[in-house]
Amino acid sequence: MSTVSVVIPCYKYGHFLADCVKSVLDEQEGVDVRVLIIDDASPDDSASVARALAAGDPRIEVRVHETNQGHIATYNEGLLEWADGDYVALLSADDRLVRGALVRAAALLDAHPEAGFCYGRPLRFRHGGPLPAARTRTTGSVVYPGRWWLERRFREGTGCITSPEVVVRTSLQRKVGGYDPQLPHAGDIEMWMRLAAHADVGYVRGADQAFYRVHGTNMSTTEFGGQLDDLRQRLVAFDSVLDKCAGLLPEADRLAVAARTRLARYALRRAYRAYDRGRTAVVPVDELVEFAAECLPGGYASLGEYRALRRRRRIGARAMPYLQPLVLSAVADRGREWLWWQSWKRRGI
């Protein structure tokens, strides 16, 4: 039977801990699971809740920081110092696993030793709302070549993973090291890419693998100024992977151009869509254009997204929302988003 070490970092989320731990220990029949809860000096009763859970189940260990060390140090403590199972998972205290998720992930990794980690589809749910119905029957799995998967991330300029749905081979986690403290907001995508530079990537088809809670603290990158911060963090993450994995990526220069071109396109698209939606007063349009220029000095102005922005500026912020249905790029955006969504649902990439 495969062994799985699950690290649950917690900061002020003690009221979620019982449900989170239950999803790990009571709903994963078929794997040998141990849990480490690390409370990062929470000012509430999180530590006492964690200790009470550990008192009732010998599979649970608890560590309590006397001073707050931050989420990156907490992650690395669990992943690199404590985890000793065949596989390791990092699960935020406010998220949950779908029943059987670890069993499905372990089966994939057992069958494919070339795969360094695997993931599946997460289900998002809003804080305070009910859990959505989850699929628990897999329709199979697929293993993507790691370099191919990694190159796709560079070409798309984004990740395809939320986080709680990932299970990593512990030996590979130790080999590539922990999360980078210089990337507090983009450490996840950088980690998945580093892992993919060393091994192939598995995907569980058909079944849902985790519940990801959406609330105020993880919605900041979807609004206005947070969008620009998100793009900047992604750029740092891509550069970091190229630096750390240079010896494994002979086409690093081409990958860098691909990522920077895609990020510039994202920035300019967000800028011109501010005109489509009548949000130029709140979206940092000028800063988004500056970021595109930073990504592609001298080249951003030749992109179609920049031409689309120039057209909208000529039309004007007041008139553009009414003319959006007649503008080809606005229609193309909706089609592009729909195609990406369909691909992600089927293939996880």
Side-chain angles (χ1 to χ4, degrees), residues 51 78 83 93 121 151 166 174 194 229 280 303 313 326 335:
R51 290 187 175 112
R121 183 180 173 188
E151 180 169 340
V166 175
R174 290 175 176 164
R194 267 197 284 147
D229 293 337
T280 54
L303 297 175
R313 281 175 163 168
L326 304 177

Side-chain angles (χ1 to χ4, degrees), residues 266-287:
Y266 278 133
L268 294 171
R269 187 177 301 152
R270 290 176 179 178
Y272 77 62
R273 291 187 71 176
Y275 282 83
D276 295 347
R277 298 173 175 178
R279 295 181 176 178
T280 54
V282 290
V283 174
V285 172
D286 291 340
E287 289 87 343

Side-chain angles (χ1 to χ4, degrees), residues 9-131:
C10 180
Y11 181 70
K12 297 195 296 186
Y13 277 166
H15 49 297
F16 296 130
L17 267 176
D19 284 342
C20 177
V21 171
K22 178 182 178 182
S23 76
V24 175
L25 295 179
D26 297 347
E27 300 177 3
Q28 308 298 327
E29 300 85 357
V31 289
D32 181 8
V33 185
R34 288 197 311 126
V35 168
L36 173 65
I37 302 172
I38 308 179
D39 180 70
D40 194 22
S42 297
D44 61 5
D45 63 347
S46 293
S48 60
V49 171
R51 290 187 175 112
L53 290 170
D57 194 320
R59 296 173 295 176
I60 303 173
E61 296 181 38
V62 175
R63 295 185 182 183
V64 178
H65 294 163
E66 292 187 4
T67 59
N68 184 271
Q69 298 181 23
H71 64 287
I72 298 296
T74 303
Y75 294 174
N76 291 340
E77 177 182 346
L79 294 173
L80 304 180
E81 298 177 18
W82 174 82
D84 61 0
D86 299 317
Y87 312 119
V88 61
L90 181 67
L91 183 65
S92 175
D94 61 331
D95 295 331
R96 296 178 62 173
L97 295 178
V98 172
R99 180 177 291 275
L102 295 181
V103 182
R104 293 184 287 273
L108 188 157
L109 293 170
D110 286 346
H112 296 280
E114 73 277 15
F117 74 96
C118 69
Y119 65 105
R121 183 180 173 188
L123 292 174
R124 293 173 176 255
F125 70 103
R126 289 198 174 275
H127 175 60
L131 289 177

Side-chain angles (χ1 to χ4, degrees), residues 9 40 70 159 219 240 289 291 296 344-345:
D40 194 22
M219 292 175 66
S240 175
V289 175
F291 173 77
L296 289 177
W344 179 79
K345 287 198 295 185

Side-chain angles (χ1 to χ4, degrees), residues 222-243:
T222 65
E223 293 296 331
F224 312 138
Q227 296 178 350
L228 180 57
D229 293 337
D230 172 52
L231 290 172
R232 291 192 183 282
Q233 284 290 315
R234 284 195 233 169
L235 177 59
V236 174
F238 285 112
D239 287 346
S240 175
V241 172
L242 292 175
D243 179 57

